[in-house]
């Protein structure tokens, strides 16, 4: 049973949804096939799990305003990863251990019981922060009962200790937590349990030392893929380095081998997951076919969050498309989940396109909700694709640089860009959803994710080269 206070909080949130549903719906920038909040602010995806025939996506949710605050866990379910149904909020801040927010966490199936782990965030009147790792359970997958605190803050860390990700390995449960050491280094900290209630602190498996890799690590996730152990994490406090670390905070991964007995993790260097503007707090899960799937927040904390035009319509932020992860060597490739093909209609093909010093538009290739696929790309000079006269993707065949450029929604339409090196380009797979774009290069070798906002209704898509470019072009309308 939920406490009276939690029930009351959930009722207030539902009233907010009802009150503003038509305003959110009327926003020309609302998304059509991405998860977005019914009202208010959405941030991290939480508790991703395939459970009893359905995919569950929970998310950090502030129903009452479009800024951060005492978070709820919102909840969506789906049978196929593309058609989603909104469920009642799973968790609301209500108890002494989570009164200032049910912060990020994860889900596991414990013998048929859907079990959530989350961070109870507490702030005293004088601003002192407390953190508790908490548990909640459900037997039907929609009504959750809090079970209270299962992990207290161990010695050696500040109260920036959160975002438990739990998984099973050889009959034991493990939990990795994002942390800040007392020396102010970001860390990923490992715990072990036999019963999900009692947790043994193993220690930090990775982290910075003497300030060399950020002051806080958020939202860690550990999983095995192709015989290697991957740690995804979000370090805060990295300085920009050339084309790297251009956003306020980063999201990336290490690949290595984790010794579950000692907690020793031997790993390579950090690689960014996404090269665009809005991408943070990714979480992974295993789907019904055993594939590793990742969803992230299409936003970054403290990065122009109060400038999004959608705020005028009472909502802000969204989640990325689900992406299948594949490890090739020590590189994670991200591929848009196959089921997205269920949304396709109005198929158009332009095979054997050849462009020479020109700008071209193609019959049937335009729209606000579009999937574009360019294959067997070849060329010289710079090739670019322009969308809604606002955002463009380009590849420089000479410099071997991929660039995403957009009109800033925070700095008066000023042009801003993100870039990465790419030794060759053969495939571009692009998903446009009204005010979001996700671009997968070379079957997921690099990905650019971003939001963009045009002033008027605009369905424009054009292709340009200052030398020459050839490719096969396919386009679908989505939903
Ligand atoms: C990451 C994060 C998490 C925290 C949550 C609060 O975006 O700061 O570390 O649990 O958001 O909403």
């Amino acid at each position: 049973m939920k406490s009276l206070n939690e029930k009351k909080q959930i009722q207030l949130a539902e009233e907010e949804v009802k009150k503003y549903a038509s305003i959110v719906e009327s926003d020309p920038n609302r998304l059509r096939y991405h998860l977005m909040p019914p009202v208010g602010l959405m941030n991290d995806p939480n508790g991703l799990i395939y459970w009893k025939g359905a995919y569950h996506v929970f998310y950090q949710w502030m129903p009452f305003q479009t800024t951060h605050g005492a978070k709820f866990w919102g909840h969506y379910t789906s049978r196929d990863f593309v058609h989603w149904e909104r469920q009642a909020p799973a968790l609301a801040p209500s108890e002494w251990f989570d009164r200032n927010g049910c912060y990020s966490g994860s889900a596991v199936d414990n013998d048929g019981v859907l079990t959530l782990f989350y961070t109870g965030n507490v702030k005293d009147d004088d601003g002192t922060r407390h953190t508790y790792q908490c548990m909640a359970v459900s037997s039907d997958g929609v009504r959750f009962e809090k079970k209270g605190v299962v992990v207290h803050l161990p010695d050696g860390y500040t109260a920036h200790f959160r975002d438990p990700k739990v998984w099973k390995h050889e009959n034991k449960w493990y939990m990795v937590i994002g942390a800040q050491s007392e020396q102010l280094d970001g860390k990923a900290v490992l715990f072990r349990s036999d019963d999900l209630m009692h947790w043994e602190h193993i220690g930090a498996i990775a982290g910075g030392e003497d300030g060399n890799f950020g002051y806080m690590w958020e939202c860690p996730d550990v999983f095995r893929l192709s015989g290697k152990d991957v740690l995804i994490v979000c370090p805060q406090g990295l300085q920009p380095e050339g084309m790297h670390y251009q956003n306020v905070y980063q999201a990336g991964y290490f690949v290595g081998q984790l010794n579950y007995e000692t907690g020793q993790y031997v790993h390579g260097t950090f690689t960014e997951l996404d090269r665009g503007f809005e991408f943070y707090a990714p979480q992974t899960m295993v789907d019904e076919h055993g594939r590793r799937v990742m969803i992230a927040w299409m936003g970054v904390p403290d990065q122009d969050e109060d400038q999004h035009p959608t705020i005028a319509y009472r909502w802000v932020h969204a989640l990325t498309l689900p992406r299948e992860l594949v490890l090739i060597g020590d590189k994670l490739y991200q591929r848009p989940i196959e089921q997205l093909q269920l949304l396709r209609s109005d198929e158009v093909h332009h095979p054997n396109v050849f462009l020479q010093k020109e700008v071209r538009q193609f019959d049937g290739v335009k729209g606000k909700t579009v999937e574009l696929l360019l294959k067997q790309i070849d060329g010289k000079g710079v090739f670019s694709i322009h969308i809604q006269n606002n955002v463009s993707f380009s590849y420089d065949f000479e410099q071997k640089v991929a660039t995403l450029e957009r009109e800033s929604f925070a700095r008066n339409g000023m042009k801003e860009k993100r870039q990465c090196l790419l030794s060759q380009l053969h495939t571009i797979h692009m998903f446009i959803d009204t005010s979001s774009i996700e671009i997968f290069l070379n079957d997921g070798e690099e990905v650019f994710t971003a939001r963009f906002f045009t002033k008027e209704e605009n369905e424009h898509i054009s292709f340009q080269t200052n030398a020459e470019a050839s490719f096969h072009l396919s386009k679908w309308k989505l939903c």
Side-chain angles (χ1 to χ4, degrees), residues 43-44 60 68 71 103-104 162-163 218-219 280-281 297 301:
N43 57 304
D44 315 354
Q60 288 288 285
H68 293 270
K71 298 286 167 56
Y103 274 12
S104 284
R162 54 178 172 263
D163 311 333
E218 295 190 315
C219 300
Y280 196 71
W297 173 28

Side-chain angles (χ1 to χ4, degrees), residues 41 43-44 46 60-61 68-69 71-72 102-105 119 121 129 162-164 178 216-219 234 236 249 280-281 297 299-301:
L41 176 145
N43 57 304
D44 315 354
N46 293 157
Q60 288 288 285
W61 185 35
H68 293 270
K71 298 286 167 56
F72 287 57
C102 298
Y103 274 12
S104 284
T119 298
N121 179 48
R129 190 190 272 267
R162 54 178 172 263
D163 311 333
M216 169 66 190
W217 284 15
E218 295 190 315
C219 300
C234 295
Q236 301 189 317
Y249 306 125
Y280 196 71
W297 173 28
V300 175

Side-chain angles (χ1 to χ4, degrees), residues 27-318:
D27 185 355
N29 285 312
R30 79 179 283 278
L31 303 175
R32 298 287 156 184
Y33 59 91
H34 283 75
L35 287 175
M36 55 173 267
V39 66
L41 176 145
M42 169 187 257
N43 57 304
D44 315 354
N46 293 157
L48 304 187
I49 191 168
Y50 180 70
W51 189 76
K52 296 195 176 166
Y55 291 102
H56 292 256
V57 170
F58 304 85
Y59 60 92
Q60 288 288 285
W61 185 35
M62 168 35 73
F64 308 118
Q65 57 198 40
T66 48
T67 52
H68 293 270
K71 298 286 167 56
F72 287 57
W73 274 40
H75 188 190
Y76 286 106
T77 55
S78 170
R79 300 249 156 218
D80 60 8
F81 263 132
V82 287
H83 300 96
W84 296 94
E85 196 180 329
R86 192 174 77 84
Q87 303 291 346
L91 301 170
S94 58
E95 313 305 319
W96 67 267
F97 50 79
D98 63 13
R99 67 184 150 88
N100 300 102
C102 298
Y103 274 12
S104 284
S106 55
V108 293
D109 179 350
N110 182 24
D111 266 338
V113 178
L114 182 52
T115 307
L116 309 181
F117 293 88
Y118 67 98
T119 298
N121 179 48
V122 174
K123 266 186 200 156
D124 295 340
D125 291 342
D126 65 3
T128 312
R129 190 190 272 267
H130 306 275
T131 177
Y132 305 99
Q133 313 316 313
C134 309
M135 186 169 117
V137 295
S138 172
S139 49
D140 64 5
V142 287
R143 281 168 304 180
F144 291 84
E145 182 176 327
K146 292 180 184 173
K147 291 289 182 191
V149 182
V150 294
V151 174
H152 289 270
L153 182 64
D155 288 342
Y157 297 96
T158 75
H160 288 288
F161 194 82
R162 54 178 172 263
D163 311 333
K165 178 82 191 322
V166 177
W167 73 103
K168 199 178 224 173
H169 176 79
E170 291 175 354
N171 283 323
K172 286 202 187 292
W173 296 103
Y174 290 84
M175 177 191 283
V176 65
I177 296 185
Q180 176 178 67
S181 70
E182 280 174 345
Q183 291 73 39
L184 306 186
D185 285 306
K187 300 277 179 189
V189 182
L190 190 64
F191 289 76
R192 176 170 41 222
S193 172
D194 287 321
D195 59 4
L196 293 174
M197 299 286 292
H198 305 88
W199 291 90
E200 176 197 349
H201 174 206
I202 301 177
I205 58 166
E209 299 286 340
D210 304 322
N212 69 354
F213 214 73
Y215 55 80
M216 169 66 190
W217 284 15
E218 295 190 315
C219 300
D221 190 346
V222 171
F223 54 90
R224 206 156 171 80
L225 200 59
S226 303
K228 294 180 180 168
D229 297 304
V230 179
L231 165 65
I232 287 182
V233 75
C234 295
Q236 301 189 317
L238 305 187
Q239 295 309 312
E241 267 179 46
M243 293 178 193
H244 292 282
Y245 313 152
Q246 290 292 319
N247 291 330
V248 173
Y249 306 125
Q250 319 310 322
Y253 63 95
F254 300 93
V255 177
Q257 291 294 335
L258 176 62
N259 180 327
Y260 276 82
E261 282 306 307
T262 60
Q264 206 200 16
Y265 181 48
V266 180
H267 61 78
T269 53
F270 182 76
T271 307
E272 281 170 276
L273 274 164
D274 197 281
R275 311 310 302 257
F277 294 89
E278 275 84 25
F279 183 95
Y280 196 71
Q283 187 176 103
T284 73
M285 60 172 292
V286 179
D287 79 356
E288 62 193 295
H289 309 291
R291 295 183 284 219
R292 182 59 60 174
V293 176
M294 178 180 80
I295 299 177
W297 173 28
M298 216 159 23
V300 175
D302 306 328
Q303 184 170 289
D304 301 328
E305 286 195 78
D306 55 353
Q307 300 294 317
H308 285 243
T310 62
I311 288 170
Y313 294 83
R314 271 312 266 222
W315 71 281
V316 66
H317 304 314

